[in-house]
Amino acid sequence: DQQVKQNSPSLSVQEGRISILNCDYTNSMFDYFLWYKKYPAEGPTFLISISSIKDKNEDGRFTVFLNKSAKHLSLHIVPSQPGDSAVYFCAASGAPGQDSGAGSYQLTFGKGTKLSVIP
Amino acid sequence: DSGVTQTPKHLITATGQRVTLRCSPRSGDLSVYWYQQSLDQGLQFLIQYYNGEERAKGNILERFSAQQFPDLHSELNLSSLELGDSALYFCASNRAGGSTGELFFGEGSRLTVL
C-alpha cells in the first residue's frame, strides 16, 4: 500500500521553462510534506517543505503547493536549469514529534520523479 | 556534504552471508534513521534510533538488526542475505525534536548480493 505516490517516473523540460512535479498521498494523518532532491551517487538532500496549515511555500525558484482536500502537492521550479536535473522525492509524515515521541520523524517517501532539464 | 558518513560505499557478497553497514551521524544529532532503496522503489523506512535506544520500526525484516552506540554511531546488520536484499541503504540523522523534519542523508551503502 503506497501512501505517497509520484505517478510520473520521469519528466523532461526545456531550460528556462517551468517544471511541475506532482505527488499524491492517501494518509489523512500526514501533516508535513517535504521534497528531496537526489543526484546520482549522492544521498537525498532536503529541498523545501510545507506544513498542512499552509497551502504554499516559496524558496527562490522553488515553490511547493499543497491541496489538502485533494491530498495533492506539487513542486514548481521556475525557471528550470540544467543543474536541476535529478531525481525528486516527495515525502510526508505526521507533525514533528508526533509519530512516536520526541526526536522521532518517520518520513514516507514516494518512488521519485527523474527530472531532466534540456539546455 | 551532509555531515553523515556511511561505510562501506559498496559491498558485494554472496547469499547466506552477513554484513554490517556503519553510519556516523552529523555532529550533535541524536537520531539515526536507516532507509532501504531497492531498484525503482522509493526509500523504505527501516528503523530509527534516538540517543542509543530504538525509537521506531518500519519495514525491517527479522534478519536485519541495528543498534546505536554510546558515541551515537549506528550499525545495520543484515544476515542470511538473499538476492532481494540487494539495494542502496541510506542512513540519515537529525537533531532531537527538529521542527523542520529535515533529515540529513549519507551517500548510502550499495549492497550487491550474488
Side-chain angles (χ1 to χ4, degrees):
Chain A
D1 176 28
Q2 229 185 319
Q3 297 187 67
V4 177
K5 298 179 185 179
Q6 293 178 257
N7 291 320
S8 298
S10 62
L11 175 68
S12 287
V13 172
Q14 286 289 130
E15 181 179 3
R17 305 296 291 267
I18 184 171
S19 294
I20 300 176
L21 295 95
N22 293 303
C23 178
D24 297 293
Y25 63 95
T26 57
N27 189 339
S28 57
M29 297 301 291
F30 286 148
D31 212 31
Y32 200 81
F33 306 89
L34 305 88
W35 286 92
Y36 279 78
K37 180 166 75 171
K38 185 182 179 305
Y39 293 118
E42 295 184 11
T45 55
F46 171 75
L47 188 58
I48 193 169
S49 64
I50 188 168
S51 97
S52 60
I53 61 173
K54 293 185 174 183
D55 55 17
K56 175 182 172 181
N57 189 25
E58 198 170 346
D59 183 3
R61 296 184 299 113
F62 302 90
T63 303
V64 56
F65 295 92
L66 175 63
N67 182 334
K68 248 196 131 177
S69 61
K71 294 192 178 67
H72 177 84
L73 65 154
S74 61
L75 173 69
H76 292 210
I77 307 174
V78 183
S80 302
Q81 299 174 354
D84 296 328
S85 297
V87 177
Y88 289 79
F89 291 98
C90 171
S93 85
Q98 290 184 4
D99 282 354
S100 57
S104 162
Y105 207 86
Q106 301 166 57
L107 294 179
T108 300
F109 284 84
K111 292 188 178 182
T113 296
K114 183 176 181 180
L115 174 66
S116 300
V117 180
I118 304 161
Chain B
D1 182 5
S2 67
V4 178
T5 304
Q6 288 188 248
T7 57
K9 285 191 167 29
H10 301 276
L11 190 55
I12 302 174
T13 189
T15 56
Q17 296 298 304
R18 173 190 168 96
V19 299
T20 296
L21 309 180
R22 194 178 193 279
C23 170
S24 293
R26 288 189 323 156
S27 176
D29 284 359
L30 298 180
S31 273
V32 169
Y33 305 76
W34 286 97
Y35 282 83
Q36 178 193 56
Q37 185 185 18
S38 302
L39 191 64
D40 294 332
Q41 296 293 315
L43 289 85
Q44 301 289 320
F45 170 69
L46 295 178
I47 197 163
Q48 179 207 356
Y49 277 81
Y50 171 67
N51 203 20
E53 294 188 1
E54 181 184 306
R55 182 55 61 99
K57 251 184 177 178
N59 301 320
I60 187 166
L61 299 172
E62 284 191 12
R63 300 183 285 109
F64 297 179
S65 65
Q67 53 184 329
Q68 187 180 27
F69 295 86
D71 66 353
L72 300 178
H73 92 271
S74 176
E75 292 181 356
L76 179 67
N77 301 297
L78 315 175
S79 62
S80 303
L81 285 168
E82 302 175 359
L83 296 177
D85 297 327
S86 296
L88 258 175
Y89 291 85
F90 286 103
C91 169
S93 72
N94 69 353
R95 303 193 190 286
S99 60
T100 65
E102 179 182 350
L103 296 184
F104 295 87
F105 283 84
E107 294 182 351
S109 292
R110 181 174 292 281
L111 172 67
T112 302
V113 182
L114 300 175

